[in-house]
Amino acid sequence: MTQLSELQARVLITLADIEPPWTLTGGGALAGFHTKHRATRDLDLFWHGQHSIAEVRREVIAKLRAEGFDVTALRTLDTFSVLHGW
């Protein structure tokens, strides 16, 4: 049982093989895998030990678009990015 939506689960499956590996944290981790007590609207993915996620961000966007998601980068920095999509 999970509180993640089908769309959120599809995103996580699409990104499962991204290298380097990521960690799901925040409400998504709680809703999907730990307490499962509430839903969440976002997914917080972290790539540990990366000085820049620019290349990872490009790969994430490309993989999601290849799966039919409409993805837009709303805010990007070297180590932080907010993506919006559906």
Side-chain angles (χ1 to χ4, degrees):
M1 185 171 155
T2 180
Q3 293 294 323
L4 293 177
S5 70
E6 288 182 34
L7 181 65
Q8 290 168 320
R10 214 174 117 216
V11 166
L12 295 177
I13 290 166
T14 300
L15 301 180
D17 64 348
I18 292 269
E19 291 293 333
W22 46 266
T23 302
L24 176 66
T25 65
L30 292 174
F33 302 97
H34 298 293
T35 62
K36 302 175 190 171
H37 72 291
R38 65 177 179 93
T40 186
R41 295 179 65 188
D42 65 349
L43 297 171
D44 301 314
L45 304 179
F46 284 84
W47 282 266
H48 301 282
Q50 299 298 301
H51 296 292
S52 172
I53 62 165
E55 188 61 36
V56 171
R57 179 178 47 249
R58 283 190 286 277
E59 186 177 355
V60 164
I61 291 170
K63 280 185 137 315
L64 291 172
R65 286 182 176 162
E67 287 297 315
F69 291 96
D70 182 12
V71 181
T72 304
L74 298 179
R75 183 171 179 205
T76 61
L77 301 170
D78 285 344
T79 59
F80 177 81
S81 190
V82 176
L83 304 179
H84 181 264
W86 52 94

